Amino acid sequence: AIEVVEDRPEDLEHRAPIVTVMGHVDHGKTSLLDYIRKTNVIAGESGGITQHIGAYGVRLDNGQRIAFLDTPGHEAFTAMRARGAQVTDIVIIVIAADDDIMPQTKEAISHAQAAGVPLIFAINKVDKPTANPEKIKEKLAGMNLLVEDWGGKYQSHDISAKTGLGVKELLEKVLLEAEILDLKANPNKPAVGTVVEAFLDKGRGYVSTVLVQAGTLRIGDYVLAGKHHGKVKAMHDERGHNIKEAGPSTPISILGLDGAPTAGDKFSVFEDEREAKQIAVKRTQLLREQSVRTQKH
Ligand code: GDP
């Protein structure tokens, strides 16, 4: 049986915030995520090729970390939430200052609000001569979303994902919000978390990006993720570096599962390999029975 052991308060340690970027198409989500990844990936390391693994971590100059789910569009967020996976601590809503509050922006705002996740507005493209960030803030106010410089409670920052203007300050606001949330997890137990994405790589087999939410994941750990299982053979970050262990709020891609779990699947580490296999078999059976039932109806 799966033992649910409550963490004692003294076991809990601060963890980095997990952030999702949402907004209307072409408003600059990808550009912002790319800019942050390229400039901020672990202070001290310059440039270099990064792989898309669906999530990445950054360390700011002051040593603080932020984990980004690098899945632009709302699909991943919505899919995960539909499956009961709540992984995001903070949502950044990107709005192009030369445009308007568009339908997808409104949708993103209501998704985040429904999930009870705090919002931070990134008013983007302020480098453009046609940009009018104040107009955007006025529109937000009209939606009952009053930003700070309008005397409201919502943090917002004018940025250019193209030139990088304001991005550092935006990230500082993310950390401020995280401080208020007082995010904690117990790093000293077998890892649990959520699958972000998974695919079959011709050369390496199944590659799954997971987000460790509590505990610490190590090479050699026996993992059960959805209906798939296996021993972690290798772990890599978005730079392709070999990683030996990953603590709370760390996104990591792992090799060794016997299939590709679905985004939003929970994963956990089992000390007993046989037990993990039994549960995986049971889940596969259940899913098969379910699909037979739905086909009959
Ligand atoms: P997404 O669909 O939200 O991911 O938007 P993209 O990041 O793909 O950006 C859409 C277009 O806007 C691209 O051509 C970007 O180069 C451009 N863009 C994004 N951010 C900025 C910005 O801050 N300033 C300017 N001038 N262009 C931007």
Side-chain angles (χ1 to χ4, degrees), residues 18-280:
I18 299 162
V19 177
T20 301
V21 175
M22 303 211 279
H24 196 76
V25 63
D26 281 347
H27 278 200
K29 299 177 292 293
T30 313
S31 304
L32 177 60
L33 282 162
D34 284 352
Y35 183 85
I36 295 170
R37 183 171 47 211
K38 282 190 196 123
T39 54
N40 257 308
V41 172
I42 313 300
E45 287 190 30
S46 59
I49 301 155
T50 58
Q51 306 167 332
H52 178 89
I53 66 165
Y56 63 84
V58 297
R59 193 187 294 278
L60 306 189
D61 297 337
N62 61 9
Q64 285 180 287
R65 287 193 314 123
I66 305 176
F68 281 92
L69 291 181
D70 189 1
T71 47
H74 317 160
E75 297 82 8
F77 183 83
T78 316
M80 284 193 207
R81 224 169 79 71
R83 314 188 77 245
Q86 174 78 30
V87 295
T88 304
D89 300 306
I90 295 163
V91 167
I92 294 178
I93 303 278
V94 176
I95 307 175
D98 64 342
D99 201 0
D100 207 335
I101 315 278
M102 300 297 279
Q104 272 180 290
T105 310
K106 289 182 185 162
E107 193 185 292
I109 292 169
S110 49
H111 276 316
Q113 286 183 325
V117 179
L119 301 172
I120 298 177
F121 294 102
I123 317 285
N124 191 31
K125 306 197 186 184
V126 295
D127 60 285
K128 283 188 151 187
T130 49
N132 188 351
E134 290 314 302
K135 192 193 91 185
I136 298 294
K137 289 170 201 171
E138 187 185 337
K139 291 261 170 93
L140 286 173
M143 292 167 64
N144 222 352
L145 299 162
L146 217 51
V147 299
E148 282 164 315
D149 29 334
W150 280 54
K153 65 168 179 174
Y154 291 94
Q155 300 207 71
S156 93
H157 207 80
D158 295 354
I159 65 158
S160 166
K162 190 175 171 185
T163 68
L165 179 84
V167 174
K168 188 166 173 262
E169 292 76 12
L170 176 72
L171 298 184
E172 278 161 11
K173 290 187 173 178
V174 168
L175 289 171
L176 189 69
E177 193 73 46
E179 222 173 284
I180 298 165
L181 293 171
D182 195 24
L183 304 165
K184 285 179 175 169
N186 176 3
N188 299 309
K189 63 179 186 181
V192 292
T194 302
V195 175
V196 177
E197 64 175 36
F199 64 96
L200 178 60
D201 180 277
K202 275 185 199 139
R204 296 182 296 163
Y206 290 101
V207 182
S208 313
T209 299
V210 300
L211 188 63
V212 178
Q213 290 172 279
T216 297
L217 184 64
R218 295 188 173 85
I219 291 177
D221 278 350
Y222 207 88
V223 168
L224 175 68
K227 60 186 169 84
H228 296 289
H229 59 100
K231 193 175 274 187
V232 178
K233 281 193 277 194
M235 304 201 291
H236 299 104
D237 63 13
E238 69 287 343
R239 299 169 67 75
H241 289 155
N242 275 301
I243 304 290
K244 288 203 178 76
E245 53 175 47
S249 296
T250 308
I252 199 94
S253 85
I254 63 171
L255 300 181
L257 292 186
D258 68 345
T262 312
D265 275 345
K266 294 269 167 213
F267 82 86
S268 44
V269 166
F270 279 72
E271 274 162 33
D272 185 350
E273 190 171 321
R274 220 181 35 199
E275 193 185 338
K277 280 181 187 161
Q278 280 167 359
I279 296 175

